[in-house]
Amino acid sequence: GPLEETSLPLFYGWFLLPSVRERVKCTAMDFLKTLDTLEEFKSHMADFTGKAEKEVDLEQYFDAKTALHCTTKFCDYGKANGAKEYAQNSAVIKSYGSVSELSLTALFITPRTVGARVSLTEEQLQLWPADGEKEAESAVPEAASLPAGSRAHVTLGCAEGVESVQTGVDLLQILALQQPEEAKEMELGSLRYFGEGRWMLDLKEPIRALACFSSFYG
Ligand code: ACK
């Protein structure tokens, strides 16, 4: 009936609890501030500005997100492929409203987005959609061959005019590349440059963030 048709959300995901949001945002800001002052980053500044001499203020460059979450399934109110099947999945129904701990294991930036990589547990992977990576195949051909959950992330900010769906695509793109051996050891972890303005910081200490599995209607 019409009630059923309108009952699917825009997306399902884990929503970071308010108490941890601030901590994650502060860590992200520290990361951007630190990057901005690194000679290594400055030498690749043209990736962001198009010009070698021009400076970029990363804190201004990205429009910061407020309600931080890790999307599991984008349903588009039922219009997306597999939305209904996902909503009816027993693991999804059983876990709805429950709180679990997300492990944020890396921070990454590109000229388009800044985000945190989420490493899902076996239990959390039960809530990951079967087509989660494959869906991004048109943008990242290697996506389908990456392990399930590779796309899991928290979008922290987007550059002007960029949609947040890009963050997961940027993460998959980085993961599909061969990891450069050269890394800069920093207080927070190891920083690597993947070319074309793509940087990833593998955190020494993952950020443990409590999050509620739920959905967003908007
Ligand atoms: O930052 P995100 O993961 O990227 O969270 C938002 C959320 O859904 C609401 O827009 C994500 N999103 C948007 N479109 C898609 C899509 N086609 N596939 C997967 N995730 C999407 C977006």
Side-chain angles (χ1 to χ4, degrees):
L3 257 183
E4 263 169 53
E5 278 160 33
T6 55
S7 62
L8 287 186
L10 180 63
F11 68 93
Y12 284 85
W14 289 281
F15 295 81
L16 271 60
L17 299 190
S19 54
V20 297
R21 268 186 224 152
E22 288 315 308
R23 192 159 47 86
V24 173
K25 280 185 214 166
C26 284
T27 309
M29 276 300 173
D30 278 351
F31 171 52
L32 293 184
K33 263 188 217 157
T34 308
L35 256 187
D36 238 349
T37 58
L38 280 185
E39 284 311 318
E40 288 87 345
F41 182 78
K42 282 184 188 163
S43 70
H44 294 290
M45 198 76 95
D47 294 346
F48 281 79
T49 58
K51 291 192 196 83
E53 327 80 54
K54 222 174 133 199
E55 296 256 327
V56 60
D57 179 352
L58 290 177
E59 287 165 86
Q60 304 287 318
Y61 185 89
F62 294 107
D63 189 7
K65 300 287 168 189
T66 48
L68 303 183
H69 70 270
C70 173
T71 305
T72 52
K73 176 71 184 169
F74 181 70
C75 292
D76 200 11
Y77 306 109
K79 282 180 281 186
N81 273 339
K84 198 170 166 205
E85 291 74 11
Y86 183 84
Q88 289 170 346
N89 181 300
S90 61
V92 170
I93 294 167
K94 215 174 107 220
S95 302
Y96 199 83
S98 68
V99 170
S100 70
E101 191 178 89
L102 291 182
S103 180
L104 279 48
T105 51
L107 298 172
F108 58 93
I109 86 162
T110 75
R112 299 164 296 278
T113 63
V114 52
R117 180 183 189 185
V118 178
S119 297
L120 300 175
T121 62
E122 282 301 320
E123 202 180 345
Q124 288 166 341
L125 277 170
Q126 304 297 308
L127 302 172
W128 194 253
D131 62 348
E133 280 70 35
K134 202 171 185 333
E135 223 223 324
E137 234 180 345
S138 57
V140 187
E142 305 88 344
S145 56
L146 291 170
S150 295
R151 188 182 190 164
H153 68 278
V154 174
T155 298
L156 299 168
C158 291
E160 204 184 334
V162 174
E163 303 272 4
S164 59
V165 62
Q166 185 64 42
T167 316
V169 173
D170 283 357
L171 174 59
L172 288 173
Q173 228 157 46
I174 290 175
L175 296 179
L177 290 168
Q178 195 176 350
Q179 179 165 288
E181 259 168 50
E182 196 190 326
K184 184 174 174 69
E185 298 308 327
M186 307 204 305
E187 209 180 307
L188 283 172
S190 319
L191 178 72
R192 288 186 177 83
Y193 177 58
F194 289 80
E196 296 174 25
R198 297 170 294 204
W199 297 83
M200 181 134 101
L201 174 73
D202 283 307
L203 296 170
K204 238 183 261 167
E205 289 280 338
I207 303 170
R208 293 152 56 152
L210 287 178
C212 179
F213 180 68
S214 181
S215 62
F216 180 84
Y217 283 81

